[in-house]
Amino acid sequence: MNLKGGRRRAAREEAERFAARLTAFGELLATHPFSADRPDATHEMAVEYARALDAYEAAKRAAPRDPVLAGRELAAGLAALNRLNAHLVGIAAPEPPAPASATTKPEARHPDRAAPEEDADAAPVRASPGDRPPGSPRSRAASDRARPRLRDRYTSWQLAKRAGITVAAVYLLVIAVLGAWWLAFVGLMALNVGGGLAMFGGLLGWTSAGQIAGAVKGGLVSAEYTRTTKKVAPRRDEAPYQQNYVYVDAAGEELTYRRDARSPSLAALPTRRLWLVKGGRRWSTETHLSGFWTPLLTSLLLVFAAALFLFGAAVVLYAVPGLLILALTG
């Protein structure tokens, strides 16, 4: 039992160290100065940044079930970020030399057999008709790389955002021409307020629905009390201690629930009934333990998010196509 507990403790500590490294890498990506909107951004930079983001997401998904795969993904993400930094500072990795052909041999050089100077002058080099001076526009166009497409320079979200702004600007201009400028101003305010409320309500509702679905999927479980630990740097208004409750699922994965405690001598219940919230890619939630209040609170948030979304959608519908109908009918 001690040997098994030691292995579990070592695995848990290794998982915590890897989680710290993964969190640090995520913070590096979040605070990285690169953006596809930069004037000096190139296709190679966008590709390396996208690779780093994909590797971070893959490592985060694989960490609970396959630590080896998660480590490889994290290493790949760090390598992509290093290549991006090299591109940003103008340092490119040297390309591997091309393999020599098996049928060609390097020309032997004989230092003692130099060509006479008069022979070199007697055979001037003639330019072919297709040659151009180095500074000509045609040679510069041939040497430059092909300009990347918009889908290569920007992400799908950035393209959608630009397309939406363009369509909204054209729509408001049409309203101003057919009706009045104050109608266009009202439409601009309605699109900003209604679109923001609808987007916030939709995101909040999506997250709340994911939490509720995970709680229903996991159900009620019993977690056992293990120990009371002291927080590293608690805030002034925060409890300095935590009671730790551990639940082990059928696959052997341990989940910890922490409850604040004002004193280490505070009596803890031997077991606690908790909600097991199971995550999934569809809802973008992670597996964790929560108290009874979490499903109730998320249910209230879901109702509030639905009302917020419907109100924002009504405001947007007033602007599109309501204001256009108002401008046409006079």
Side-chain angles (χ1 to χ4, degrees):
M1 291 297 293
N2 293 335
L3 182 59
K4 186 177 180 180
R7 287 199 299 267
R8 284 187 175 180
R9 189 181 304 109
R12 184 165 58 251
E13 292 175 354
E14 180 64 26
E16 292 176 355
R17 286 194 294 268
F18 180 78
R21 292 170 52 201
L22 189 60
T23 302
F25 181 54
E27 293 175 353
L28 282 177
L29 291 176
T31 59
H32 200 277
F34 174 75
S35 173
D37 297 333
R38 289 168 58 109
D40 58 342
T42 61
H43 175 57
E44 289 81 3
M45 296 179 186
V47 169
E48 297 298 346
Y49 188 66
R51 286 175 179 171
L53 289 176
D54 293 342
Y56 170 71
E57 295 296 335
K60 189 166 63 173
R61 290 193 301 267
R65 61 179 186 276
D66 194 346
V68 177
L69 177 60
R72 289 201 298 265
E73 294 291 347
L74 179 59
L78 288 172
L81 191 62
N82 290 334
R83 291 193 296 270
L84 172 61
N85 294 333
H87 285 302
L88 287 174
V89 299
I91 302 176
E95 296 182 358
S101 175
T103 58
T104 59
K105 295 183 179 180
E107 184 179 357
R109 300 184 61 184
H110 301 280
D112 55 339
R113 296 179 57 186
E117 186 177 354
E118 59 273 11
D119 293 342
D121 295 337
V125 178
R126 296 183 179 181
S128 62
D131 293 339
R132 293 291 186 275
S136 64
R138 185 172 179 180
S139 64
R140 286 198 300 269
S143 61
D144 292 340
R145 300 185 62 180
R147 185 178 180 84
R149 300 176 302 172
L150 289 178
R151 295 184 63 87
D152 296 331
R153 293 172 56 195
Y154 302 103
T155 62
S156 300
W157 169 249
Q158 291 172 339
L159 290 176
K161 182 172 63 175
R162 282 164 172 76
I165 292 174
T166 303
V167 172
V170 173
Y171 175 75
L172 294 176
L173 181 61
V174 171
I175 290 179
V177 172
L178 297 178
W181 288 102
W182 68 268
L183 282 178
F185 178 75
V186 172
L188 177 62
M189 297 300 297
L191 287 176
N192 286 332
V193 176
L197 290 177
M199 182 176 296
F200 178 74
L203 292 177
L204 182 61
W206 185 267
T207 305
S208 301
Q211 293 286 330
I212 295 174
V216 173
K217 182 180 179 181
L220 286 172
V221 297
S222 179
E224 296 183 358
Y225 170 77
T226 55
R227 65 186 185 279
T228 299
T229 57
K230 184 179 177 63
K231 295 182 181 179
V232 178
R235 297 192 301 268
R236 182 174 299 179
D237 57 341
E238 191 179 25
Y241 295 93
Q242 284 181 335
Q243 296 175 352
N244 296 271
Y245 291 85
V246 175
Y247 166 75
V248 182
D249 60 4
E253 180 181 359
E254 294 184 356
L255 298 176
T256 302
Y257 174 79
R258 296 176 176 87
R259 183 173 182 270
D260 290 343
R262 289 292 177 182
S263 171
S265 59
L266 185 66
L269 294 174
T271 59
R272 291 186 68 91
R273 295 286 288 174
L274 301 169
W275 279 104
L276 173 61
V277 180
K278 287 191 175 182
R281 295 182 180 179
R282 181 180 179 184
W283 301 105
S284 300
T285 59
E286 297 181 359
T287 303
H288 62 276
L289 296 174
S290 62
F292 282 95
W293 59 270
T294 301
L296 300 177
L297 179 60
T298 51
S299 300
L300 295 177
L301 287 178
L302 181 60
V303 174
F304 174 73
L308 202 63
F309 175 79
L310 292 176
F311 178 75
V315 174
V316 172
L317 288 176
Y318 169 75
V320 183
L323 290 179
L324 181 60
I325 297 174
L326 182 62
L328 291 175
T329 56

